[in-house]
Amino acid sequence: MQKSTINTVSTTDNWTYHRDIIIFYVDAMAINTKIYGDIDELYKTNESAFLSYAKKSPLYNHPLIIGGGLCREVYGKKALGILLYVNKTRSKSVKSALDSVIKKGWPTAHRHIENPDRAEGEKYIMGLKQGLEDAVIENGAEMFIFCSLCIRYQTQIISRKDFTMFLLSLSLRANAYLSNDWKYDYYRKKDNAFREKAGTLKERIFSDYGIKITADGQFSSTDESLRSLHQFFFRLAYADRVVTYYLFKDAGLCKSDIDDVFCACLGAVGDGSDDEAAKMFLSGILVKLLCKTITQLKERYLANPDKADAAKHEKTIGKLTADNTRLENENARLKETISSLEEKLQSSIKDIEKPHLDRIRVLEKEIAKQNEIIQQERYKDRELNALRDFFFSFENRRAAAEAEPGRSQDALMDLKDTAGAIIGGNPKWIARMKSLLPKWVFISSAGFDKRSLDGIQTICFLPNHMSHKLYYKAVAIAKNKKMDIGFIYSQNEHLALKEIAKVLVSARE
């Protein structure tokens, strides 16, 4: 069993994407929707350069790029620009990013290259062969990526026979797209018996349902159910401000398009009812017109953008806008009518609700006043309790302080991280207390700014050194801010600390 890894080879990897197989890399990357986001991210890094390389290449309008859907074309052209840029500039950063995108898009192929196991590799290749035989496009792309990786990293997983089959599959795929076969319509691919049966169905339905279709895609029928279904499509188009007449008038509907749709109808309904086939035909012909319109727009604005076409498009939009003005005016009138009715309804509701809402507002104001009175009374109780404690506990406080003089340091530690305000006190006492309580606010004059008490929850009064004016002003502010009130009396700073600590304890309780 051979053991090698990509990492051991890639250190001297000078691989570039050969010009003859770049188109197959582009095709594979455009098919793999899982890497669309990664292609976008890489493309944004140097969009102008990638676009320039792609547009200068003869592969820009290659059938493998433009022969699929719109997304495949967009991402195919992005991948083409990136691959050509890597080949020309040999940019290591872009090449590394591109390798990461390919590894993400085909992880199974990379896993077999990194850990080559003959048995597992053969099983994997057989699965890809089956995919190619069943014409599964994604498996064909993965087969190409896998064989390219084998060549690039010189592994021996793939046999000469498998490699020959790989080259043959590329040749068949290229020839199919480079010939006219890829443009064959659905009707021409059917056998004569099927086409005759589809033609009979078409004649019968056109006759029985009175169907007529003009060259610009206009439809008419004598059958009420088909007219109703057709009208539904028009209403649906108007819902998004799209007029189907202008959308389809240049689509160029022809006999082969109608035959295509009838073949599809016949394949779907089989021997079902004509009514079912007629309804399916109407839906199918509208989808056919839409597909042709999208293809024309894609060719006009993606492959060959032209300012003259843009001006024509703007003129068409102007006409559509003018056509929509009438509908918008009618819609506005209906909205005004509805708005008037809504205003009358709201006015009636307000007349009924008004006396009740007025009564509710009166009651809410009375409740708010009562709550304010209750709060004031409760705060009076708090102030009176603090004064009562102050006047009736002088001796108890003094005795407790003298009995436990060593506790003053503990009280100081408790107050270390707290903040409050002290009203009153002489300058020397205030100076000593500030050194012990640096976070506290000290006020001794009635001319203080009330903003100095912002953020304060606890306020302590020192009655022995305080004017009446200062007291009443501070109490009023404390009541308004709902602060906790306490009183202290001691001029000894250590005893004062204990009194302040007790005030804080009482406030928490």
Side-chain angles (χ1 to χ4, degrees):
M1 184 181 299
Q2 182 183 358
K3 293 290 182 182
S4 64
T5 65
I6 284 180
N7 292 333
T8 59
V9 180
S10 61
T11 53
T12 58
D13 179 19
N14 294 316
W15 171 271
T16 56
Y17 300 92
H18 194 276
R19 60 183 178 83
D20 293 335
I21 63 171
I22 276 184
I23 188 60
F24 298 108
Y25 266 104
V26 169
D27 185 41
M29 294 174 72
I31 289 168
N32 195 337
T33 58
K34 294 185 296 184
I35 60 174
Y36 279 4
D38 302 277
I39 292 175
D40 283 332
E41 290 299 318
L42 177 54
Y43 193 74
K44 289 176 184 176
T45 59
N46 199 352
E47 183 173 347
S48 59
F50 297 147
L51 179 61
S52 175
Y53 274 93
K55 283 191 171 183
K56 291 176 182 178
S57 170
L59 299 176
Y60 190 70
N61 291 310
H62 192 283
L64 281 177
I65 295 179
I66 66 174
L70 181 59
C71 282
R72 280 183 59 181
E73 180 173 345
V74 169
Y75 285 95
K77 290 181 175 180
K78 287 183 177 181
L80 175 65
I82 295 170
L83 287 160
L84 293 174
Y85 179 87
V86 168
N87 267 13
K88 183 67 176 178
T89 66
R90 296 184 179 272
S91 168
K92 292 183 179 180
S93 59
V94 178
K95 177 176 172 295
S96 176
L98 181 59
D99 288 343
S100 298
V101 172
I102 293 175
K103 185 171 183 179
K104 179 180 177 180
W106 294 273
T108 308
H110 272 270
R111 184 164 61 251
H112 285 286
I113 296 298
E114 291 173 346
N115 301 288
D117 183 310
R118 172 68 67 178
E120 289 295 323
E122 289 178 354
K123 182 179 178 182
Y124 171 64
I125 293 169
M126 289 304 297
L128 295 178
K129 279 185 182 180
Q130 183 63 38
L132 289 175
E133 291 169 3
D134 294 341
V136 178
I137 296 176
E138 289 80 1
N139 279 19
E142 182 154 353
M143 186 67 179
F144 168 75
I145 294 293
F146 178 70
C147 291
S148 297
L149 289 172
C150 287
I151 298 168
R152 178 175 178 177
Y153 295 110
Q154 303 174 9
T155 62
Q156 302 301 318
I157 302 175
I158 189 166
S159 67
R160 188 176 186 83
K161 178 182 177 182
D162 289 326
F163 183 66
T164 302
M165 185 275 296
F166 156 66
L167 294 177
L168 178 61
S169 70
L170 289 185
S171 175
L172 291 174
R173 183 159 170 74
N175 287 336
Y177 273 92
L178 292 173
S179 68
N180 289 326
D181 291 345
W182 70 282
K183 293 183 178 180
Y184 278 10
D185 54 38
Y186 186 61
Y187 173 77
R188 292 173 62 189
K189 291 179 182 178
K190 296 296 181 181
D191 57 41
N192 290 334
F194 192 93
R195 283 188 281 175
E196 288 178 6
K197 194 173 181 181
T200 301
L201 176 65
K202 178 178 73 172
E203 291 175 3
R204 190 168 66 238
I205 288 178
F206 268 54
S207 175
D208 293 347
Y209 293 86
I211 295 175
K212 291 183 179 179
I213 300 178
T214 61
D216 57 4
Q218 295 304 294
F219 172 90
S220 64
S221 172
T222 59
D223 183 78
E224 180 62 31
S225 63
L226 288 189
R227 286 205 307 271
S228 176
L229 182 60
H230 183 253
Q231 190 64 26
F232 164 74
F233 279 101
F234 266 83
R235 290 196 184 102
L236 188 63
Y238 272 114
D240 282 328
R241 297 185 180 181
V242 175
V243 181
T244 53
Y245 172 79
Y246 289 110
L247 186 63
F248 295 148
K249 73 170 189 172
D250 295 325
L253 187 66
C254 59
K255 180 179 179 299
S256 64
D257 296 323
I258 297 174
D259 291 338
D260 271 349
V261 176
F262 267 105
C263 279
C265 289
L266 184 60
V269 302
D271 295 327
S273 68
D274 284 1
D275 187 55
E276 183 181 1
K279 290 181 179 179
M280 189 174 292
F281 164 70
L282 178 58
S283 302
I285 203 68
L286 287 170
V287 172
K288 186 74 173 177
L289 281 166
L290 184 60
C291 290
K292 294 191 75 173
T293 303
I294 290 173
T295 301
Q296 288 178 350
L297 291 174
K298 181 182 71 172
E299 291 173 353
R300 181 180 301 171
Y301 296 108
L302 183 63
N304 299 300
D306 191 325
K307 291 183 179 180
D309 286 339
K312 183 179 177 182
H313 186 57
E314 288 295 329
K315 186 177 180 180
T316 302
I317 290 175
K319 290 181 178 179
L320 290 173
T321 303
D323 289 339
N324 285 337
T325 301
R326 176 180 55 81
L327 296 175
E328 289 176 350
N329 290 338
E330 183 178 350
N331 186 40
R333 286 195 296 271
L334 290 174
K335 285 184 177 180
E336 288 176 2
T337 302
I338 293 172
S339 177
S340 177
L341 291 174
E342 287 179 346
E343 287 178 2
K344 290 180 180 179
L345 178 61
Q346 292 298 326
S347 178
S348 299
I349 293 172
K350 288 180 180 179
D351 290 342
I352 295 170
E353 289 181 342
K354 188 176 185 306
H356 301 288
L357 294 174
D358 291 342
R359 180 59 180 164
I360 289 171
R361 283 191 287 269
V362 170
L363 291 175
E364 286 177 345
K365 287 181 180 179
E366 291 181 0
I367 291 170
K369 286 182 181 179
Q370 292 298 327
N371 286 336
E372 183 64 26
I373 292 172
I374 291 170
Q375 290 296 329
Q376 291 177 359
E377 292 301 322
R378 286 178 178 172
Y379 204 85
K380 287 180 181 179
D381 290 343
R382 186 185 300 180
E383 182 184 1
L384 291 173
N385 289 336
L387 284 169
R388 185 167 57 250
D389 290 343
F390 173 69
F391 283 116
F392 290 99
S393 60
F394 281 118
E395 293 302 325
N396 292 337
R397 291 183 182 180
R398 188 176 292 112
E402 291 172 354
E404 298 178 301
R407 297 289 298 276
S408 61
Q409 189 63 30
D410 295 337
L412 177 59
M413 293 302 293
D414 291 340
L415 297 173
K416 182 175 62 175
D417 295 324
T418 63
I422 295 178
I423 310 300
N426 62 58
K428 291 183 178 180
W429 182 83
I430 290 174
R432 294 197 303 271
M433 292 300 292
K434 278 185 177 180
S435 64
L436 299 174
L437 302 174
K439 294 184 178 181
W440 281 59
V441 176
F442 291 85
I443 297 172
S444 58
S445 171
F448 72 94
D449 188 345
K450 66 179 181 180
R451 289 177 296 183
S452 60
L453 294 177
D454 288 348
I456 300 298
Q457 182 58 37
T458 304
I459 184 168
C460 296
F461 291 91
L462 192 67
N464 292 340
H465 296 278
M466 177 173 54
S467 66
H468 287 84
K469 185 176 180 181
L470 174 60
Y471 175 76
Y472 288 120
K473 181 177 178 180
V475 165
I477 295 172
K479 288 181 178 179
N480 185 51
K481 294 179 176 290
K482 296 181 175 55
M483 297 179 181
D484 298 318
I485 292 179
F487 292 87
I488 59 177
Y489 70 92
S490 179
Q491 296 297 304
N492 182 289
E493 56 267 24
H494 299 297
L495 296 179
L497 288 175
K498 292 182 66 62
E499 292 172 3
I500 295 170
K502 187 171 182 181
V503 169
L504 293 176
V505 171
S506 298
R508 296 191 192 106
E509 294 175 350

